Amino acid sequence: MSGGLAVVLGIRPDVIRASLILEFLRERGVPYTFIWSGQHYSDNLKDVFFRQLRVPAPDIELGISAEHDAELVGRLVIALAPVLEWLRPEAAVFLGDTNTVMGCLAAAQLNIPVVHIEGCMRSYDWRMPEEKYRTIVDHLADVIYAYLEEYKRQGEREGLSPERIVVTGNPIVDVLSRYYFGRREHFEAVASPGFFQARGLRRHHYYLMTCHRRENVQDRAALARVLALAGAADAPVYFAASYRTQRMIKTFGLTLPETVILADPIGYEEFLTLMTNSRGVFTDSGTVVEEACILQVPSVQMRRSTERPQVYDVGACVKFDPGDAAGFSVEAVLDRLTRLRGKTWPNPFGDGRASERIVDDLAARLSSGRFAGHRPQDYPMDVSRAYRGDGL
Ligand code: UDP
């Protein structure tokens, strides 16, 4: 087998963000094989998103799951390599900054061009494995789809060739336009009194929280501050917590404030319903801060650094660093969040056509065989000296 694209995804937000890209690839008749790493595998972290966003099941499921990052990445490279070797795609497409993206090493070993969607985002925070993964995949990539011009400039500053970076806008805008804004009546119907009652909530009288980042869940004091913030809020907090976070709360022996309702991760329809009817969102998720900003829901971003500073630029979000003991003031954070209520701000993430642009570009490259970057002429500087003769 050879030709087409191999699209390699593996976690919840991948299905969401790539849902329209996959749909447009099918509509355009662009041949692709959809490979699922297995990083997320349970119904509430994987299948529910396929069902709700009508994404066809993956063609190949590698079934890689592991306790540790090294194990996951190692096994993924080992499992993906023979699949790519058999498929021999024109390019292997990766999205984001997760362990699954490190499958790009298998493509690199086989000299299969690498495409990176969500390229050149940087938090400039070297504590984050995600930052290292982004840097690795961008520098291996032959084609990079960057969401914003400013990300392209970040890539250029690292020496990446502007020729290889295509600015597209952020596909999450497209997904929300179609899935949420295009179905407002449906979402209004979902938001019945019973929906909120079943979760112990009253519409507009609660906050929504997620928290899964290492910096917040592996440090007892930081996780305690996250819970303290939630506990100090002026309404109950619905905490859709990742399984690791739930485990760490137990391991650290932390007590959940009485007003915090701990729940397992939920489907997209439920999550968007809860987000859009909440007083605000507390989160350390990259995608959730984008969504809150686009949906005009005030948010607190619980992270020391972010690769999405636009949410602060437009005044949609309050920063809270749970790792910072000295600057810790729940009152100040909650007060600033309250002041965002009723305000509006522009959407800084794109015009809703990113998925289309990505698919157009992929289709054009497939028909002209233009995937391979890193030719001598693709470097942003003169590299001819590396190819010189010995002059004898
Ligand atoms: N999400 C969801 N249910 C949940 C928590 C999150 O549907 O219980 C959605 C959320 O709307 C967003 C994505 O999952 O689209 C975010 O996933 P996550 O925070 O795991 O990933 P990150 O964006 O930080 O990589």
Side-chain angles (χ1 to χ4, degrees):
M1 235 179 126
S2 77
L5 300 170
V7 180
V8 185
L9 303 175
I11 62 165
R12 163 177 69 189
D14 292 351
V15 193
I16 298 170
R17 208 181 281 276
S19 56
L20 288 174
I21 297 172
L22 295 173
E23 181 179 317
F24 296 155
L25 284 173
R26 290 192 299 279
E27 265 177 29
R28 296 276 299 262
V30 176
Y32 74 92
T33 305
F34 177 12
I35 302 169
W36 187 257
S37 71
Q39 194 176 336
H40 280 174
Y41 51 87
S42 61
D43 187 80
N44 63 341
L45 284 173
K46 175 189 169 225
D47 301 304
V48 67
F49 298 94
F50 282 79
R51 289 195 298 275
Q52 293 185 340
L53 290 150
R54 297 180 194 285
V55 177
D59 302 297
I60 297 173
E61 304 224 21
L62 297 177
I64 309 295
S65 62
E67 267 301 298
H68 301 289
D69 296 330
E71 210 180 335
L72 204 144
V73 170
R75 287 213 220 143
L76 173 60
V77 173
I78 291 167
L80 187 58
V83 173
L84 291 179
E85 199 156 23
W86 173 66
L87 289 171
R88 274 284 150 198
E90 298 281 326
V93 182
F94 297 87
L95 190 167
D97 55 20
T98 59
N99 283 327
T100 296
V101 166
M102 286 299 96
C104 68
L105 294 175
Q109 286 161 347
L110 295 163
N111 259 334
I112 292 168
V114 169
V115 173
H116 184 215
I117 303 174
E118 199 168 293
C120 303
M121 276 196 179
R122 296 290 182 267
S123 63
Y124 300 105
D125 185 344
W126 210 238
R127 295 171 313 148
M128 297 174 67
E130 294 93 331
E131 179 75 357
K132 292 168 181 161
Y133 286 178
R134 289 180 203 119
T135 308
I136 291 169
V137 64
D138 281 334
H139 283 260
L140 279 186
D142 297 78
V143 178
I144 295 171
Y145 296 118
Y147 295 159
L148 302 171
E149 285 291 343
E150 63 176 290
Y151 293 140
K152 178 173 178 176
R153 287 195 294 275
Q154 289 178 175
E156 287 180 56
R157 283 202 294 274
E158 287 177 17
L160 296 171
S161 165
E163 302 295 316
R164 295 193 282 116
I165 309 174
V166 182
V167 178
T168 60
N170 187 329
I172 202 68
V173 180
D174 325 0
V175 174
L176 288 177
S177 303
R178 163 88 78 89
Y179 187 76
Y180 179 78
F181 290 110
R183 298 162 70 238
R184 289 295 280 270
E185 282 171 20
H186 172 74
F187 273 93
E188 195 45 43
V190 174
S192 65
F195 174 88
F196 297 101
Q197 262 161 28
R199 292 166 174 81
L201 303 171
R202 270 194 310 138
R203 195 174 182 181
H204 306 310
H205 290 278
Y206 66 90
Y207 294 87
L208 178 63
M209 180 155 93
T210 76
C211 175
H212 69 278
R213 250 168 233 289
R214 290 172 179 81
E215 68 186 84
N216 293 331
V217 304
Q218 286 180 348
D219 172 354
R220 187 183 191 281
L223 190 51
R225 288 187 201 105
V226 167
L227 296 179
L229 178 77
D234 60 357
V237 173
Y238 192 84
F239 185 10
S242 76
Y243 293 111
R244 179 164 60 165
T245 307
Q246 297 189 37
R247 247 195 341 266
M248 293 315 288
I249 290 173
K250 281 205 189 102
T251 307
F252 288 143
L254 292 169
T255 313
L256 217 56
E258 271 177 20
T259 49
V260 173
I261 301 167
L262 190 69
D264 285 345
I266 49 179
Y268 200 41
E269 181 171 289
E270 295 81 350
F271 194 80
L272 290 182
T273 305
L274 284 172
M275 177 147 49
T276 49
N277 290 287
S278 72
R279 290 190 176 184
V281 173
F282 306 130
T283 189
D284 59 6
S285 157
T287 314
V288 175
V289 278
E290 292 172 353
E291 289 169 338
C293 179
I294 296 162
L295 295 165
Q296 303 289 324
V297 178
S299 63
V300 173
Q301 184 163 221
M302 305 191 295
R303 290 172 59 176
R304 179 177 300 175
S305 63
T306 180
E307 59 291 331
R308 293 160 166 96
Q310 303 82 12
V311 293
Y312 299 133
D313 296 342
V314 299
C317 186
V318 174
K319 177 180 170 173
F320 169 57
D321 176 5
D324 176 14
F328 179 65
S329 163
V330 290
E331 294 76 20
V333 172
L334 293 171
D335 179 53
R336 285 162 58 213
L337 180 67
T338 306
R339 282 193 264 129
L340 289 187
R341 242 183 262 153
K343 294 225 167 95
T344 57
W345 45 80
N347 157 23
F349 294 118
D351 61 359
R353 295 188 47 218
S355 310
E356 204 179 305
R357 287 194 191 94
I358 291 170
V359 171
D360 282 350
D361 190 79
L362 286 170
R365 285 177 198 272
L366 263 182
S367 60
S368 62
R370 271 190 311 114
F371 275 108
H374 295 272
R375 298 167 306 176
Q377 63 269 33
D378 293 321
Y379 287 88
M381 66 290 195
D382 176 12
V383 297
S384 59
R385 211 167 146 254
Y387 292 82
R388 72 174 189 183
D390 57 20
L392 294 174

